[in-house]
Amino acid sequence: MITEKGLWNRLRLRLLFTGPTLFAFLAVMIVPFLYGIYLTFTNWDGISTASSLVGFQNYVSVFQDTVFWQSFLLTLKYVFITVVLINVVAFLLAYALTSGLKGQSLFRAGFFIPNLVGGIVLGFVWQFIFSNVFVYLGKEMSIPLFSASWLADPDKAFWAMIIVTVWQYAGYMMVIYVAGLMNVPKDILEAASIDGASLPTKMRKMVLPLMVPSFIVCIFLSLQRGFMVYDLNISLTKGGPFKSTEMVSMHVYEKAFLSRDYGVGQAEAFVLFLLVAIITIAQVYFSKKMEVEA
Amino acid sequence: MKSWKWMQALALSLLVVMLVTACGKSGESVEGSAVTITFLNSKGEIQSQLEEAAKAFKEDNPDITMEIIPVPAGQSPFEKASALYASGNPATITMLDTGDVEKFKDRVLDLSGEKWMADAVDRSTALTTFEGKNYAFPLAIEGYGFIYNKAVVDQAIGGTFDPATINTTGALEELFKKIEASGKAPLIVSPMDWSLGAHYLPLAYAGQSADTAAVAQFVDDLKAGKVDLAGNTVFNGLLDTFDLMAKYNIDKASPLSGTYERGPEVLGKGEVGIWFQGNWAWPQISSFDTASGQYGFLPVPVSNNADDFGNTQISSAVSKRLVLDKEKNTAEQQAAAKKFLEWMVYSDKGQDFLVNKANIIPAFKNITLEAKDPLAKSISDYIAKGKSQDSMSTLPADHWAKVGASMQKYLAGAADRSVLTKEIQEYWKSVK
């Protein structure tokens, strides 16, 4: 096909195959994105038929909105803890489930299942567990840690969110790690064993470096999901008690739709997009440098 | 080779056409006179009753099918309604809170000429009338205060309880003590932000004066930052009562862990004597009822002087309004929706739905059905005696969430009164 002459001839064929996807992508991602940026310069309230341009006023409000920055810091803390825990748990699970355990495919399926349940449903299920099941058990067996609902205490509610997040995503990341572990060439591991390398040495010098691509993907995915968490936040804690677990996405949503400050909400969403984009691009860029070839 | 190129061009143009037409609105052809309308319901507790009403309405009007769309729990009617508008698919009839109607006035029908306007109770459409045009149908009057379980309080005071005796904070505490002495928990405080932020705290604004203009002035002064809440007697009186509530609360050990569902259960079963809530809670209370339907309301006292405004008045107002979309719905759909409104006010089945099925206190003088529901009846009695205080129904949209969170903090003991006062004042200053 490269032999085809002329720009149009080449373009036409490409459009035939990529056109539909490109069109869908433009229509549902790029156009709304650009329109959203336009809205940040207006004072639209979400419903009125008229609005006027206000320049950069909404962006000024974003930097004055201390609650936004507080919830961003809280989200950073949440992301940091969940990324570490999800990946550690997922890697350990993957390692255990590739070591030839009996019934390991069954276990793999089992750990993966939480990921198939939507965040909202999962949040409600865990809300019931935290505020009813645990409290019941705590009272019956007099365990002080569980005698009051975790969701009524700011710190415990935060940890409740982390536990549920890790439980939800560890299985998904585990699948990626399993694939990564299976792709580590057996021959070099065998050669290393013959040369007398111990298990920790093989792990540190061979398995981990060869797994870097899997780590990049998993850390990227867990970073991005952590920053964008909303469904779990709304269904598990509703941002409570008293707004202490309100993550940044939820704050943006409430700003736009509850406080009816659509322009400011949209501007906050855009600032959030830039921050998250910078963080994730930096992560991918720097970790790419760690990749090695077998 | 030439034909191959033609094929490509053809396939490409076909694809483009398909994609473009897929985005266009497929023509909604209405066959015959059958018409389907949608109803966005933001009163979750009457969802099944509304679905039954839609069936009853269809019996009378076989051509009209009405679908009830619920607003998901936790979402505000405004959020859902504006999302539906944004997607170009608004419901024919949308149930909004009073304060939201103004935002939608460019998109909804002017209802000033409707027949029911003449029968609406006084002032029930005042808050939705802009430039002389009324845009909304007043659906329900709702009131709130302390709901008491008569069986429990009767036992506590050892006789027949007279709600009129509770007209001061001191009298309320006496009652709490008696209930406690009888071996029951005095009351349950449900810690939802909407209950504390939209119902409890606004009593402090509404209680400022019996004159609604003075209350409106007070709210304006709050916005301007001219009110010193810390020195306001009504505000402090209300919080003194709140301190009492927190002290005698059954969930004192973990005040924020309660849910709405727990309230009707413990009140209905008689584990507590009193619950701060409104008449909308009757369907849930009745499913746990052990007091053979004997419940009533007590006003929330704000001082120790029985004559002060608010101590004997129950807070009530038209809380839910219906608006009809004029942008995306056809003339037939609009006419069908108007018919439904009239059907509710003037037909026997419609009135039966409002009063008996949905336990709504209607805002129409021609409806004389007596409420079977004791809570609605109690509110109606207070209104009939002129003992009512207008609830604050046009507060800023995020008031309940923001102030509710501050109230939760206060209830949990994570903030003292000065912090609460400061947060409320800060909130009002941030309102645009």
Side-chain angles (χ1 to χ4, degrees), chain B residues 379-396:
Chain B
I379 299 276
S380 308
D381 287 348
Y382 276 103
I383 294 172
K385 278 187 256 165
K387 291 281 185 192
S388 73
Q389 180 187 68
D390 280 6
S391 310
M392 304 298 295
S393 38
T394 49
L395 291 169

Side-chain angles (χ1 to χ4, degrees), chain A residues 156-176:
Chain A
K156 286 183 190 156
F158 179 74
W159 281 98
M161 278 200 59
I162 287 177
I163 291 171
V164 179
T165 313
V166 172
W167 181 77
Q168 184 185 8
Y169 288 126
Y172 183 63
M173 303 306 164
M174 173 198 75
V175 171
I176 300 176

Side-chain angles (χ1 to χ4, degrees), chain B residues 134-152:
Chain B
N134 173 40
Y135 290 94
F137 173 92
L139 179 68
I141 294 181
E142 291 184 325
Y144 60 84
F146 291 124
I147 305 174
Y148 61 86
N149 177 323
K150 192 156 184 295
V152 175

Side-chain angles (χ1 to χ4, degrees), chain B residues 196-254:
Chain B
L196 301 174
H199 300 145
Y200 192 82
L201 191 82
L203 292 172
Y205 315 141
Q208 294 295 330
S209 166
D211 175 13
T212 47
V215 173
Q217 183 59 43
F218 180 77
V219 170
D220 285 343
D221 288 349
L222 268 174
K223 273 187 206 166
K226 284 192 284 187
V227 177
D228 173 31
L229 276 181
N232 189 291
T233 25
V234 180
F235 177 76
N236 280 310
L238 186 75
L239 286 184
D240 288 342
T241 308
F242 193 68
D243 291 344
L244 271 187
M245 290 162 66
K247 185 175 160 196
Y248 290 97
N249 184 7
I250 185 174
D251 288 333
K252 197 162 56 174
S254 177

Side-chain angles (χ1 to χ4, degrees), chain B residues 151-400:
Chain B
V152 175
V153 277
D154 276 355
Q155 195 201 352
I157 62 164
T160 309
F161 176 66
D162 175 14
T165 55
I166 309 301
N167 49 18
T168 60
T169 313
L172 185 70
E173 182 165 20
E174 279 304 304
L175 179 65
F176 285 166
K177 278 184 182 155
K178 281 182 191 157
I179 302 175
E180 196 168 43
S182 73
K184 302 274 170 92
L187 90 163
I188 176 161
V189 182
S190 290
M192 291 80 62
D193 46 4
W194 53 265
S195 178
L196 301 174
H199 300 145
Y200 192 82
L201 191 82
L203 292 172
Y205 315 141
Q208 294 295 330
S209 166
D211 175 13
T212 47
V215 173
Q217 183 59 43
F218 180 77
V219 170
D220 285 343
D221 288 349
L222 268 174
K223 273 187 206 166
K226 284 192 284 187
V227 177
D228 173 31
L229 276 181
N232 189 291
T233 25
V234 180
F235 177 76
N236 280 310
L238 186 75
L239 286 184
D240 288 342
T241 308
F242 193 68
D243 291 344
L244 271 187
M245 290 162 66
K247 185 175 160 196
Y248 290 97
N249 184 7
I250 185 174
D251 288 333
K252 197 162 56 174
S254 177
L256 295 185
S257 57
T259 53
Y260 176 79
E261 289 73 22
R262 186 169 151 75
E265 185 178 343
V266 292
L267 182 78
K269 286 184 178 167
E271 287 170 31
V272 300
I274 291 170
W275 181 32
F276 175 77
Q277 204 53 250
N279 62 292
W280 53 83
W282 176 245
Q284 291 91 3
I285 297 176
S286 69
S287 60
F288 293 105
D289 179 26
T290 54
S292 45
Q294 302 270 337
Y295 297 85
F297 275 99
L298 298 175
V300 178
V302 292
S303 72
N304 274 320
N305 177 4
D307 296 330
D308 282 351
F309 179 64
N311 286 355
T312 51
Q313 282 83 359
I314 203 87
S315 186
S316 66
V318 176
S319 62
K320 291 289 183 185
R321 318 261 177 174
L322 303 181
V323 296
L324 309 185
D325 167 63
K326 69 174 177 190
E327 281 191 343
K328 298 283 179 189
N329 283 282
T330 61
E332 291 82 29
Q333 286 175 314
Q334 292 171 15
K338 283 182 177 170
K339 213 176 217 174
F340 177 70
L341 300 186
E342 264 184 31
W343 177 85
M344 278 196 293
V345 182
Y346 295 108
S347 79
D348 290 345
K349 281 184 198 166
Q351 295 187 353
D352 176 63
F353 153 68
L354 281 179
V355 178
N356 296 329
K357 303 270 171 57
N359 300 310
I360 279 173
I361 307 169
F364 294 95
K365 285 176 279 197
N366 67 308
I367 302 180
T368 50
L369 281 179
E370 173 128 322
K372 281 184 198 153
D373 141 23
L375 297 185
K377 206 165 151 188
S378 175
I379 299 276
S380 308
D381 287 348
Y382 276 103
I383 294 172
K385 278 187 256 165
K387 291 281 185 192
S388 73
Q389 180 187 68
D390 280 6
S391 310
M392 304 298 295
S393 38
T394 49
L395 291 169
D398 55 356
H399 179 275
W400 63 270

